[in-house]
Amino acid sequence: MKTKIFRIALSNLIVGIFISTSCYTQKWGGDSHPVILTKWSVNINGGLASYFGDLSLSDADISAKLNQESGLAMSIIISKYIFRETIGISGQVITGNLEGNNGDISFTTKMFEYNIHARIDFVDLFMLDTYHAFGVVGYAGAGQFYYSTTKVVMNEGPYKNFEQDAAKPEFVYFFGGGIYYKLNSNFGVTADLALRRCQTDRLDDYVKNNDYDFYTYISVGVSYYINTFKGGPLRNKSRLANSSFLFKTPASTALR
């Protein structure tokens, strides 16, 4: 049920964004060009995905968590701003690894997540009429992810390997925040941290107390801001607008 609702919401979001953009391009605006894309951004980032669950030992030790219970990850975020550059709707894809080791058990999990989320720029919210290069962003959303876990059990005797693939995409919801600094009108650098709550206790292929696992994603990235992307100019609009009318000269009067 959650999968169906999420897919419907994602489809409606994509269709709505492009319909609104397409409608905007049909407007006549004097000598202005038809705008195809405006107030979009693309962010590419990379960092570490950290595991929190039944097999984690370093939840209170940030350094050990990043070094021993984290894996490399990267993502891409495409955002459409619906109110200035203050409020936006984003789609994100993440791929990466989660790792953990608790005594006799170690594991590595490969995951692939896709989501939609809403974001708000708190600095822009209070400085609508003032340019600022620095900003603070908060966001929250939901999505789905696939994962594949390889677990090694090191009891007395030979090691035992176990592999598990998710039979279906799992639901995840998350919230986070970040900062950015615009180098100019088109490029900026970002840093983010988000906590993602899973609806499964099998990220580590180890079930205990039915307490769902979760993970965080900390990243740095680069953003490209699409302020305007315009089509070719419409030349001689008045001539084009009247091209469907045929103007005939009056018939000449015969000479008597």
Side-chain angles (χ1 to χ4, degrees):
M1 186 65 179
K2 291 178 180 178
T3 300
K4 184 177 181 180
I5 293 174
F6 177 79
R7 289 177 177 172
I8 292 174
L10 180 60
S11 300
N12 289 339
L13 171 66
I14 295 173
V15 172
I17 288 176
F18 282 98
I19 287 179
S20 63
T21 304
S22 175
C23 291
Y24 183 77
T25 63
Q26 304 303 317
K27 295 182 180 179
W28 290 76
D31 293 329
S32 63
H33 306 305
V35 177
I36 298 176
L37 293 177
T38 184
K39 294 184 179 179
W40 290 73
S41 72
V42 179
N43 178 265
I44 298 176
N45 56 79
L48 294 173
S50 302
Y51 156 77
F52 293 81
D54 298 322
L55 299 181
S56 59
L57 297 174
S58 306
D59 294 352
D61 187 338
I62 297 177
S63 177
K65 173 63 68 176
L66 296 178
N67 289 326
Q68 301 173 14
E69 297 180 351
S70 302
L72 295 176
M74 63 180 299
S75 86
I76 182 171
I77 304 172
I78 299 178
S79 301
K80 167 63 177 175
Y81 297 96
I82 58 178
F83 174 67
R84 298 175 62 98
E85 293 184 0
T86 307
I87 299 175
I89 301 295
S90 302
Q92 181 181 26
V93 174
I94 304 175
T95 183
N97 298 319
L98 299 168
E99 299 177 358
N101 189 331
N102 187 338
D104 296 334
I105 302 175
S106 65
F107 75 93
T108 300
T109 298
K110 297 180 180 179
M111 61 90 177
F112 175 82
E113 177 192 322
Y114 51 92
N115 67 69
I116 56 175
H117 59 274
R119 55 178 56 230
I120 181 169
D121 186 333
F122 294 107
V123 175
D124 198 64
L125 182 64
F126 296 103
M127 301 176 63
L128 290 176
D129 298 321
T130 305
Y131 174 78
H132 54 92
F134 175 81
V136 178
V137 177
Y139 49 87
Q144 294 177 324
F145 72 100
Y146 292 89
Y147 67 93
S148 175
T149 302
T150 300
K151 182 177 67 173
V152 179
V153 179
M154 297 169 284
N155 293 325
E156 295 181 1
Y159 293 173
K160 296 181 180 179
N161 296 322
F162 300 88
E163 293 186 359
Q164 174 190 269
D165 295 328
K168 59 182 179 62
E170 297 288 349
F171 181 76
V172 61
Y173 62 92
F174 61 94
F175 62 90
I179 57 176
Y180 67 83
Y181 182 80
K182 287 188 176 180
L183 304 175
N184 53 45
S185 61
N186 291 113
F187 289 96
V189 292
T190 62
D192 285 83
L193 172 63
L195 186 151
R196 322 181 93 83
R197 184 72 173 182
C198 310
Q199 296 299 290
T200 179
D201 190 28
R202 302 195 65 90
L203 274 183
D204 46 17
D205 195 21
Y206 183 83
V207 178
K208 181 180 179 181
N209 300 326
N210 291 322
D211 186 16
Y212 291 151
D213 299 327
F214 62 97
Y215 59 98
T216 60
Y217 179 47
I218 183 171
S219 65
V220 294
V222 178
S223 288
Y224 177 70
Y225 302 95
I226 306 174
N227 297 316
T228 55
F229 177 74
K230 300 177 180 180
L234 289 177
R235 298 180 179 178
N236 201 346
K237 292 181 182 179
S238 60
R239 182 178 177 182
L240 178 63
N242 293 306
S243 61
S244 61
F245 295 92
L246 298 178
F247 297 95
K248 297 181 180 180
T249 57
S252 59
T253 303
L255 296 178
R256 298 186 181 187

